[in-house]
Amino acid sequence: NAGVTQTPKFQVLKTGQSMTLQCAQDMNHEYMSWYRQDPGMGLRLIHYSVGAGITDQGEVPNGYNVSRSTTEDFPLRLLSAAPSQTSVYFCASSYSGALETQYFGPGTRLLVL
Amino acid sequence: AQSVAQPEDQVNVAEGNPLTVKCTYSVSGNPYLFWYVQYPNRGLQFLLKYITGDNLVKGSYGFEAEFNKSQTSFHLKKPSALVSDSALYFCAVRDSAAGNKLTFGGGTRVLVKP
């Protein structure tokens, strides 16, 4: 199993540009989520999905969109990038249920100029 | 609402000495607690979790954590630290009444000096 994969590893954008961060998992996990990591703030939940066709907002959803057309994929879209979105983005997946462990991808480092 | 606090931004310890990374939490239901480690330029790796049962939980790489309900704490410990344990450690909590959402602390950087 490849686990959770993310592409790209690193991206530079100009303010106002759009892009999609890709996330895929091959563990048949129902639950997938996106976090952003900023210094001193830990990981903050952006959006999450409990299954194909179902998404919901997390703690910091503004400026981001998601969709979940398949169990495997959970892309994160930045509609109009802003410097405040400079961060490291992590995708995670798990089986559904509060007892389950989330597994993380390697991250995407995004710089918005 | 669930929350997690890691009161120390950084912990410095000499190799071979005991290592403790502190974590306190707040939930309205029962807590499910997790520790993750992040090495430079890598994703988060799961270390251990507490769901129920024994208050002392053993995990990967010789780490363990003690759940203390009265103090609402879940401190991570290792009896003898290694230089390779130098990394960023995150505590996280799930409230049994709040579904799958995982809330993370701000992280504690551990520096183990030879």
Side-chain angles (χ1 to χ4, degrees):
Chain A
N1 287 351
V4 181
T5 58
Q6 292 183 237
T7 56
K9 290 184 179 179
F10 180 70
Q11 183 73 46
V12 179
L13 291 179
K14 294 181 180 179
T15 297
Q17 287 185 317
S18 63
M19 80 161 293
T20 299
L21 281 64
Q22 301 292 344
C23 173
Q25 53 89 12
D26 61 359
M27 297 174 281
N28 205 31
H29 286 165
E30 302 94 349
Y31 184 83
M32 296 185 75
S33 53
W34 277 102
Y35 296 88
R36 58 177 290 172
Q37 182 182 21
D38 302 293
M41 303 186 75
L43 277 75
R44 291 181 292 170
L45 183 64
I46 304 172
H47 285 286
Y48 65 97
S49 169
V50 297
I54 306 170
T55 64
D56 206 345
Q57 296 181 350
E59 182 184 354
V60 287
N62 292 342
Y64 307 95
N65 275 357
V66 292
S67 59
R68 184 95 181 269
S69 56
T70 67
T71 299
E72 294 79 17
D73 300 297
F74 190 45
L76 178 71
R77 297 183 184 84
L78 281 70
L79 305 175
S80 178
S84 61
Q85 293 179 304
T86 292
S87 188
V88 182
Y89 292 85
F90 289 101
C91 179
S93 74
S94 71
Y95 292 112
S96 288
L99 310 183
E100 300 297 333
T101 300
Q102 285 195 16
Y103 295 93
F104 285 79
T108 294
R109 188 174 297 272
L110 178 66
L111 175 62
V112 183
L113 302 174
Chain B
Q2 56 197 50
S3 65
V4 179
Q6 294 181 244
E8 300 158 318
D9 291 336
Q10 181 160 323
V11 170
N12 298 319
V13 63
E15 187 174 32
N17 281 4
L19 169 63
T20 298
V21 186
K22 295 179 180 177
C23 171
T24 59
Y25 66 90
S26 175
V27 296
S28 55
N30 292 320
Y32 302 131
L33 295 152
F34 301 78
W35 276 103
Y36 286 84
V37 60
Q38 184 182 30
Y39 297 102
N41 300 313
R42 304 288 293 274
L44 276 71
Q45 296 180 28
F46 168 72
L47 278 178
L48 50 81
K49 67 181 177 183
Y50 171 81
I51 303 299
T52 187
D54 288 341
N55 290 341
L56 186 63
V57 179
K58 294 188 183 296
S60 306
Y61 312 122
F63 283 95
E64 58 189 26
E66 186 170 10
F67 172 67
N68 188 315
K69 187 173 183 177
S70 62
Q71 297 185 6
T72 62
S73 67
F74 189 56
H75 301 331
L76 181 70
K77 299 179 181 181
K78 187 171 184 180
S80 178
L82 302 172
V83 172
S84 57
D85 293 328
S86 298
L88 188 56
Y89 291 80
F90 289 99
C91 182
V93 69
R94 237 191 231 125
D95 189 334
S96 62
N100 277 52
K101 291 183 184 180
L102 198 57
T103 298
F104 284 84
T108 298
R109 188 165 300 281
V110 170
L111 180 60
V112 182
K113 299 180 179 179

